[in-house]
Amino acid sequence: MNEKFAQVALGALGFILLIGAWELAARNGLANPVVVSSPARIAAAFARQWASGDLFADLETSAIEFAIGYGLAIVVGVVLGLAMGLNRIAEYCIDPFIWFIYASPLIAFYPLLIVWLGFGFVTVVTVAFLLSFVSIAINAMAGVHAVDASHMRAVLAFGGTRRDVIFKVILPSSVPHILAGARIGLGRALHGVVLGEMFGSNDGLGYSITRYAAQLKTADVFVPLLTLIVLGVAINQASALLEGRLQSWKRA
Amino acid sequence: MAINASKSLGDRLSEAPNARTWIGGVSVVLFLAAWQVIGANEIVRSDLISYPGEIAAAAYDLASSGELGANALTTLREFAQGFAPAILAGILLGLGFALSRLARSLFEPLFVAMYTAPLIAFVPLLVVWFGVGSTSKAVTTFLAAVVPIAINTTTGVRETQESWVRALRAFGATRGQIIVKAILPGAMPIIMAGLRLAIGRAIVGVIAAEMYVSTSGVGRMIQTYSTAGRAAEIFVLVGEVSGFGFMCVWLLRRLENRLAPWRARA
Amino acid sequence: MTQLVVENLRLEYPAARGGKPYLALSEANLAVESGEFVTIVGPSGCGKSTLLMLIASLLRATNGTVKLNGKEVAAPGPDRALVFQDFALLPWRTVLKNVEIGLELQRVPVARRRDIARKYIEMVGLSAFEMHYPHQLSGGMRQRVGIARALSVDPEVLLMDEPFGALDAQIRQVMGLELLHIWERDRKTILFVTHDIDEAIYLADRIVVMSASPGRVIREIKVELPRPRGLAIRTSPEFNIYRETLWNLLEEQVRASGSWAAAKATGDR
Ligand SMILES: Nc1ncnc2c1ncn2[C@@H]1O[C@H](COP(=O)(O)OP(=O)(O)OP(=O)(O)O)[C@@H](O)[C@H]1O
Ligand SMILES: [Mg+2]
């Protein structure tokens, strides 16, 4: 318990050290505060954006885009991944495309997406979806492949059907893999939202970053940026927690 | 999934030698053919989806005009300028984190935060700080790569087996020798995995940064052709970037086979 | 000539959080002749490994000294080489490179250390496997690498901590035989910890029996069986007498410590 507390305290100290050094550097003219900004300026910018409602509006847009894009990615990723896992031919057919989507800088297609889907919301959701569904699909497939053959044989030996094997063995035992993929997908979806907003929208946290940057309002850039960082960490922690819960059967 | 004794046609197909390669190949060829038919016949507007024939022609033009080569070189240079120091810094930082509890407690949360945040969000700031030229791209690459390398180095080092260190200590190894001869090689497979992650992140990072704002480079070209509504050229460029990524990962695999052949078992 | 002297050696492991320090070795005394083969037996947890680690200077004694040729040892070094129960090979190095490591740490030039390593690899019969990695070898072969590695630095004392403990019975006998051959050739001083009573007798010039934890030396038994010894010696009446003596001593210790785990470990044959 004490150990844990010390850990958290030191982690916090790390942040405080960074902020302190930064503020000092800005005040003593070691770094140009207009370019580099400073914690105090950022705090002021934060208060400003909070009061005006800008921050909240950005956050809301991004959160909705994220939720929809990621939600779709889970549904499509799991279904596709399981299908690939259960059927080799499907796997071999889809595999090259999956890897292309996974490995290529999809954002390069944003102008085409804009023409197809319109500027803004739908494009952003699509980028988030495209970036994240692949890792979920790949992991779901790996989950099916990792199923212990002896469990399948046991179900068959007791007169189970192929259906039983799928629903009683394969699906439950791929859950940990699917969750791991979903967790990787989280980060990628968030990345997708920001990319989409930066290039294909004029709304949301990602867009605000580019807009403030173009105006050289460095302190203001940090507000949506830090919000995103906090969001990323929070989502990741929450998912780790959830994953731990859902996987408790594994430890039993 | 051959759980039934009687084999369907599909099972038999999928169990043929090299099934993955040729079924995948056939699927890709069919896809390209369909795309060609749909695009070339304007069943769907070809300026939106292009088609393989047009893409091939565009690739030829871009390559022969020298435009592609020059810009690819710029991107490659930025990538190398960011990635090489990231390897060094990442390994040193990771070692520091692994060997010093204090350093880890103080700075690991910062690192994890950096890792979870979408890297691209930093790019506008980096451009303000480092300008629209190459430097901001190299810095983006560096930041994209350094974090996974450092995190994996830490993980790798912390999984060092006590027996390796014990054996060296028994022969009177110094601390430096233990790091160089036991800890680093032991962590190498995990560091390599970190490098693979880093390559993916860094490529996307450098391209997106160039797309955001730049004066040259592949990302700059993508942006130019995008705004001109030239789908074919975009496909060529995306293909080139993916190809570069695949090549890096392939090279890394080969390197890994040389550096860590003992992993064949694991 | 007395080569290795252990005097009043005591070791307390520092307390875990909220606990007391643990006395692992209370007062060990031992003198080993040059070229002698000494085996060490004792109930599990009595501090045998601790004793070897202290001699190797991998641990610092709470009290007492270890002297090699009259000089107190302070740091690990190639004059005392360890062979580990878990082999402790480096998985990313080939057999050759694993055997070279001791010399490499001493910065012996490549060509020379390669020659030396090859010589010992040949001695343990692994010449055909020089370029193999540890995971490609059987347990017995891995420990041969461990032994070649220890021998390669030409140590004065070879410290072996249950080197055959991870091997199955048959391989174990073969390895024992091979070790004796090697020892008979160049007469290194050997300290050999084992749980196997037959092994302890069969290999030794002298058997050191340790008490239950905290360990100290309670008895030393000279083994006067003729050398060279073959496997057949195990069925001789003399061997049986040693076996019985040792068995009784250990049983007593185990009973005194009241540890079932210890009883199982020493009584497994
Ligand atoms: N690092 C340590 N910290 C605290 N206690 C330890 C440590 N290492 C060993 N011990 C304890 O010291 C005692 C002696 O350990 P040691 O490993 O020397 O015994 P051993 O005679 O080699 O046992 P075995 O026959 O099982 O190998 C044991 O009771 C053990 O639990
Ligand atoms: Mg022991």
Side-chain angles (χ1 to χ4, degrees), chain C residues 16-45:
Chain C
R17 196 182 327 222
K20 296 187 298 190
Y22 184 84
L23 182 61
L25 212 57
S26 68
E27 206 189 62
N29 284 289
L30 187 66
V32 181
E33 297 294 306
S34 175
E36 197 179 9
F37 200 134
V38 174
T39 55
I40 302 175
V41 294
S44 187

Side-chain angles (χ1 to χ4, degrees), chain A residues 22 47 49 55 87 89 99 102 140 153 162 166 173 182 188 198 234:
Chain A
W22 187 359
Q49 290 186 33
L55 178 61
N87 185 326
I89 305 256
W99 282 106
Y102 194 68
R153 253 180 268 124
R162 196 182 150 93
I166 293 175
S173 65
R188 291 178 63 96
M198 283 175 66

Side-chain angles (χ1 to χ4, degrees), chain A:
Chain A
M1 208 61 233
N2 259 334
E3 181 84 353
K4 191 122 203 177
F5 176 75
Q7 205 75 7
V8 173
L10 282 173
L13 183 64
F15 278 99
I16 292 169
L17 280 178
L18 180 77
I19 293 171
W22 187 359
E23 184 69 42
L24 275 179
R27 294 211 172 176
N28 296 323
L30 284 175
N32 180 353
V34 177
V35 178
V36 178
S37 187
S38 75
R41 283 160 185 264
I42 294 169
F46 184 85
R48 209 160 49 236
Q49 290 186 33
W50 178 278
S52 71
D54 286 352
L55 178 61
F56 187 73
D58 285 344
L59 189 57
E60 192 183 8
T61 311
S62 297
I64 293 173
E65 288 162 347
F66 172 81
I68 297 178
Y70 182 58
L72 279 174
I74 290 191
V75 175
V76 175
V78 169
V79 170
L80 195 66
L82 292 178
M84 288 170 70
L86 291 171
N87 185 326
R88 281 241 179 91
I89 305 256
E91 179 196 336
Y92 295 162
C93 285
I94 302 173
D95 200 47
F97 302 99
I98 289 271
W99 282 106
F100 179 77
I101 295 178
Y102 194 68
S104 61
L106 285 183
I107 191 59
F109 292 112
Y110 84 93
L112 307 182
L113 289 179
I114 290 172
V115 179
W116 292 331
L117 306 167
F119 193 75
F121 187 79
V122 182
T123 293
V124 177
V125 168
T126 305
V127 175
F129 164 78
L130 285 176
L131 250 64
S132 66
F133 90 95
V134 175
S135 55
I136 301 171
I138 292 174
N139 275 272
M141 181 180 80
V144 177
H145 286 168
V147 172
D148 191 338
S150 70
H151 294 171
M152 297 198 271
R153 253 180 268 124
V155 170
L156 291 173
F158 284 106
T161 60
R162 196 182 150 93
R163 236 182 110 84
D164 290 328
V165 171
I166 293 175
F167 283 95
K168 302 213 160 92
V169 180
I170 294 177
L171 288 189
S173 65
S174 351
V175 167
H177 280 87
I178 294 176
L179 288 176
R183 193 154 158 216
I184 299 170
L186 268 177
R188 291 178 63 96
L190 192 61
H191 196 185
V193 167
V194 177
L195 270 174
E197 288 174 347
M198 283 175 66
F199 289 100
S201 174
N202 46 21
D203 218 348
L205 294 166
Y207 171 69
S208 284
I209 291 178
T210 58
R211 184 165 50 97
Y212 292 128
Q215 299 166 353
L216 291 180
K217 291 184 177 167
T218 327
D220 284 283
V221 175
F222 272 101
V223 177
L225 179 59
L226 290 173
T227 308
L228 273 171
I229 295 177
V230 171
L231 213 60
V233 173
I235 290 175
N236 210 42
Q237 294 292 2
S239 75
L241 225 78
L242 190 73
E243 205 175 319
R245 282 278 154 75
L246 288 174
Q247 267 184 45
S248 47
W249 61 269
K250 251 185 122 182
R251 263 174 264 123

Side-chain angles (χ1 to χ4, degrees), chain A residues 3 10-11 14-15 35 88 91-93 95 97 104-105 108-111 115-116 191 209-210 213 218 222 229 236, chain B residues 14 20 23-24 27 31 48-49 101 105-106 110 116-117 120-121 124-125 129 211-212 223 226 234-235 238 241-242:
Chain A
E3 181 84 353
L10 282 173
F15 278 99
V35 178
R88 281 241 179 91
E91 179 196 336
Y92 295 162
C93 285
D95 200 47
F97 302 99
S104 61
F109 292 112
Y110 84 93
V115 179
W116 292 331
H191 196 185
I209 291 178
T210 58
T218 327
F222 272 101
I229 295 177
N236 210 42
Chain B
S14 67
R20 176 181 294 278
I23 295 181
S27 142
F31 174 81
L48 289 187
I49 63 164
R101 267 173 74 96
S105 304
L106 279 176
L110 281 171
T116 357
I120 187 69
L125 205 54
W129 289 346
M211 283 174 63
Y212 175 68
Q223 190 65 300
S226 296
I234 297 178
F235 276 107
V238 168
V241 174
S242 311

